[in-house]
Amino acid sequence: MFKGIIPPVVIFFDQQGEIDFDLNKKHMDYLIDSGVDGVLLLGSSSEFSSLTLSEKKQYLGNLIPHINNRIPVLVGVGNTVLKESIDLAKYAESIGAQGIMAVNPYYWKLSNEQMIEYFSEIANAVSIDTYLYNIPQLTKQEIPLEVITALVESHRNIRGIKETVADFGRIRKVVNVIQERYSGFAVFTAFDEHLVNGYMIGAAGSINGTANFLPEVSVNLLKALQTSDFNTVQKLHRQLSSLMEIYDINTSLFSTFKEGVYYRWFNEQSTGVRKPFSIYEKETRKKVGKIIDSIIEQGVFNE
C-alpha cells in the first residue's frame, strides 16, 4: 500500500512540444535521491489531458523501467473514455506499476450509480491497488462518501483516495467515515498546507505539487511528525505553507510546478511547452525561484 510523500510528477517537453524523456528521467532521479516514498505519474500535474493514449504509454514505458523498483509507482488513468482508462490501467500493470489512480469523468455529471460503474470497471480490469481521485474544482463533481463506501465494500483492490480539496472538513469526513471503518483504506491530502493536519487525523501521506521541486521540505516534515519533533514540524510547516503562494501565479498549476523544477535543477534550460499551455505568466520561474531561494538559504529543508 502507498504511503508518505508522493510527488505528482510534472512532464517535461522539448522545444518542439514533444516529451523530453532524458529530462524527465533526470528529474525522477532527483526526486528519488531526495527520499520521496513514491511517485504519481500521469496525475493532474503531468498535463495528462494534453497527451494521447500512445504518448502516455510511451512515457510510462520509458519512466517505469528507469525507476526500476527504486520506489513504488502510482499511475493516473482517469479519462472521459472508459475504454482508454482500462487500456492504460492494464498497460501500467503490465510494465510494473504498483498502483493506479482514477479521477471521475469530467464532462457530464454522473449519478452515483454511474460513478460506481465507472470506477468498478477500472478496478476490475487490474489486480494492483486502485486509488480514487477527488478533485471537484476540475471535475465539478465530488465523489460522494456513499460512492466510496460502495466501492470499497465491492472491490478489495480499491485501497484509498487522493483528496484535492480546499475544505479540510471533507478530508476529515473521509478519514472518519471511510478510513476508520475500513482499516486498509488510505487517505492522501494534496494541498501542501494540509500535510500536517492530515497526518494528525490519520492520513497516509501527501501527494503535493511542491514536492516536484522542493521534496525535502515535505519529506523531512513527515519525518519530524513521525518522531514528534514539533520544533522542526513548526519550522517546516511554515515553509511548506509559504509555498502555497505559488498556487496563485497561474491557472495551469503544472506550469508553475514545472518552472520551479527548472529553477531548482535545470535553470540553464529554456522551458519546453505544449500548446495551449505555452501561454502563462512570463515571470513564473523568477517568482517561484525567489521562494525556493528563501527556503534553501534558511537551511530548513535540510533539517
Side-chain angles (χ1 to χ4, degrees):
M1 188 171 72
F2 289 82
K3 62 180 180 179
I5 304 303
I6 302 174
V9 181
V10 296
I11 289 182
F12 296 95
F13 300 106
D14 60 24
Q15 297 305 305
Q16 287 71 48
E18 302 300 324
I19 298 174
D20 187 332
F21 294 110
D22 288 340
L23 195 60
N24 283 292
K25 290 175 183 178
K26 290 176 182 177
H27 180 222
M28 189 62 60
D29 290 339
Y30 280 124
L31 293 176
I32 293 172
D33 290 345
S34 74
V36 298
D37 299 291
V39 286
L40 169 61
L41 306 182
L42 298 179
S44 297
S45 299
S46 73
E47 300 173 68
F48 77 89
S49 59
S50 298
L51 301 175
T52 66
L53 178 60
S54 176
E55 287 176 320
K56 292 175 184 178
K57 289 183 176 181
Q58 290 173 15
Y59 172 74
L60 296 178
N62 274 269
L63 268 292
I64 291 179
H66 178 75
I67 294 169
N68 194 28
N69 292 313
R70 286 180 286 172
I71 52 173
V73 175
L74 190 59
V75 174
V77 300
N79 201 307
T80 55
V81 182
L82 180 56
K83 285 185 177 181
E84 290 194 4
S85 292
I86 292 172
D87 188 349
L88 188 60
K90 288 181 176 179
Y91 180 74
E93 180 176 25
S94 73
I95 62 171
Q98 286 77 28
I100 59 170
M101 176 176 286
V103 68
N104 44 305
Y106 39 86
Y107 188 80
W108 291 106
K109 184 175 181 179
L110 275 62
S111 68
N112 284 4
E113 292 76 16
Q114 290 168 337
M115 198 177 294
I116 290 170
E117 182 172 51
Y118 171 80
F119 286 120
S120 294
E121 289 293 313
I122 294 173
N124 287 336
V126 296
S127 60
I128 55 178
D129 290 350
T130 300
Y131 292 79
L132 312 178
Y133 181 15
N134 185 48
I135 182 166
Q137 64 265 46
L138 295 183
T139 63
K140 307 305 179 185
Q141 185 176 14
E142 193 168 73
I143 302 176
L145 295 180
E146 54 265 36
V147 168
I148 302 172
T149 299
L151 288 167
V152 175
E153 288 184 345
S154 302
H155 304 279
R156 291 184 178 181
N157 65 327
I158 292 184
R159 303 299 301 275
I161 190 168
K162 177 186 177 183
E163 287 287 346
T164 304
V165 293
D167 178 15
F168 189 76
R170 157 73 185 197
I171 299 170
R172 173 181 49 78
K173 288 179 182 178
V174 177
V175 170
N176 290 344
V177 175
I178 310 296
Q179 185 170 286
E180 290 191 4
R181 184 175 179 184
Y182 305 99
S183 59
F185 191 84
V187 178
F188 288 89
T189 59
F191 289 125
D192 307 78
E193 62 187 355
H194 285 164
L195 192 160
V196 171
N197 289 344
Y199 177 85
M200 297 302 286
I201 66 169
S206 180
I207 304 176
N208 55 312
T210 67
N212 269 288
F213 57 85
L214 273 178
E216 300 92 341
V217 177
S218 297
V219 168
N220 288 313
L221 175 53
L222 183 59
K223 288 179 180 178
L225 284 164
Q226 292 167 341
T227 58
S228 300
D229 180 0
F230 291 110
N231 287 331
T232 299
V233 167
Q234 183 180 41
K235 292 179 183 179
L236 295 174
H237 179 59
R238 286 177 175 173
Q239 293 302 319
L240 196 60
S241 296
S242 73
L243 287 169
M244 291 297 295
E245 295 176 28
I246 73 168
Y247 285 81
D248 297 325
I249 298 175
N250 294 293
T251 54
S252 53
L253 295 179
F254 51 80
S255 300
T256 307
F257 298 153
K258 193 179 299 187
E259 289 292 1
V261 178
Y262 272 108
Y263 184 85
R264 177 81 191 278
W265 289 306
F266 312 118
N267 203 21
E268 75 287 353
Q269 298 192 34
S270 299
T271 306
V273 295
R274 175 163 287 194
K275 297 178 180 180
F277 300 109
S278 56
I279 303 172
Y280 58 93
E281 168 58 50
K282 294 181 179 180
E283 296 295 310
T284 297
R285 190 182 299 193
K286 181 179 180 181
K287 290 180 178 180
V288 180
K290 184 177 180 180
I291 299 173
I292 291 174
D293 284 344
S294 175
I295 291 174
I296 291 177
E297 287 169 5
Q298 293 176 43
V300 180
F301 78 101
N302 281 323
E303 289 285 342

